[in-house]
Amino acid sequence: MPRQRKHSSSHGPRGPSQRQLRVGEVLRHALSDILLETYIRDPDLEGVSVTITQVKPSGDMRHATVFCEPLGGRNADVIIAALNRHKGFLRGELGHVITLKFTPELRFVEDTSFAEAEKIETLLKSPRVRRDLEPQPKDEDDEET
C-alpha cells in the first residue's frame, strides 16, 4: 500500500513556492521594462517614474499582485489607480514579452514597506529609544558576591 503524505496544519501558512518566486521576478523585470519603454496615454502617469518592488503571483499563476511605488512616494493613490485603469493594456504588453502558459491578471497596489521602514528608523533614532538602548551602569547591589 503506498504511503500517503499527511497534511498538518501545525506548520502554519506556507510561503510562496520556488516557482512563484521565479515567476514573480520575471514579471517584475518585464513590467519594469514595459513601464520604462511604453508610453501610456494618461495624464496621471505622464512624466511619472514608478518602481515595481515586488510581484506576487497566485498559486495557479492566473493572478498577480504588483507592489509598486512612485518615485518620491507622492500621489501614490492617483498613480496606483491609473495603473489599475490600464492593467488590461499592461497585461497585453506583458503577454508579448513573457513565455508563460497564462499571462496573469494584474492588480496594482502601493508598496508601503518603504514608509514603514522609515517610520521604524525614525523611532529607533528618537532620544527616548536611544536612552533605552544604551548600556546601563551597574549598581553595587546588583553584583553577586
Side-chain angles (χ1 to χ4, degrees):
M1 185 168 186
R3 239 182 161 168
Q4 290 187 355
R5 183 183 251 169
K6 290 183 182 180
H7 294 285
S8 172
S9 62
S10 65
H11 293 15
R14 291 185 176 181
S17 68
Q18 287 297 315
R19 182 167 185 254
Q20 283 173 290
L21 293 172
R22 273 194 321 270
V23 169
E25 274 303 293
V26 167
L27 294 172
R28 185 179 71 82
H29 284 282
L31 278 170
S32 294
D33 290 346
I34 289 167
L35 288 173
L36 188 64
E37 298 168 1
T38 306
Y39 177 72
I40 300 172
R41 294 182 72 173
D42 189 313
D44 292 334
L45 295 174
E46 211 166 289
V48 173
S49 181
V50 177
T51 301
I52 306 296
T53 57
Q54 184 179 16
V55 178
K56 288 187 178 179
S58 63
D60 63 3
M61 306 292 170
R62 293 189 181 249
H63 302 276
T65 302
V66 181
F67 293 88
C68 50
E69 183 68 22
L71 190 63
R74 292 186 306 269
N75 301 325
D77 52 344
V78 172
I79 293 166
I80 300 300
L83 289 169
N84 278 309
R85 280 195 305 272
H86 298 285
K87 65 185 178 183
F89 169 75
L90 292 168
R91 180 180 184 223
E93 292 296 304
L94 194 58
H96 295 300
V97 295
I98 62 169
T99 54
L100 293 175
K101 187 173 184 179
F102 303 104
T103 303
E105 293 281 337
L106 304 174
R107 180 174 67 107
F108 291 89
V109 296
E110 181 183 2
D111 186 347
T112 58
S113 62
F114 294 113
E116 269 315 297
E118 189 174 325
K119 192 186 319 180
I120 291 169
E121 184 72 24
T122 302
L123 184 64
L124 288 173
K125 288 180 178 178
S126 72
R128 187 173 164 192
V129 172
R130 290 185 100 165
R131 181 191 70 222
D132 291 343
L133 294 176
E134 290 176 3
Q136 301 298 317
K138 289 189 175 192
D139 288 341
E140 290 180 22
D141 294 341
D142 291 342
E143 291 182 17
E144 292 181 29
T145 52

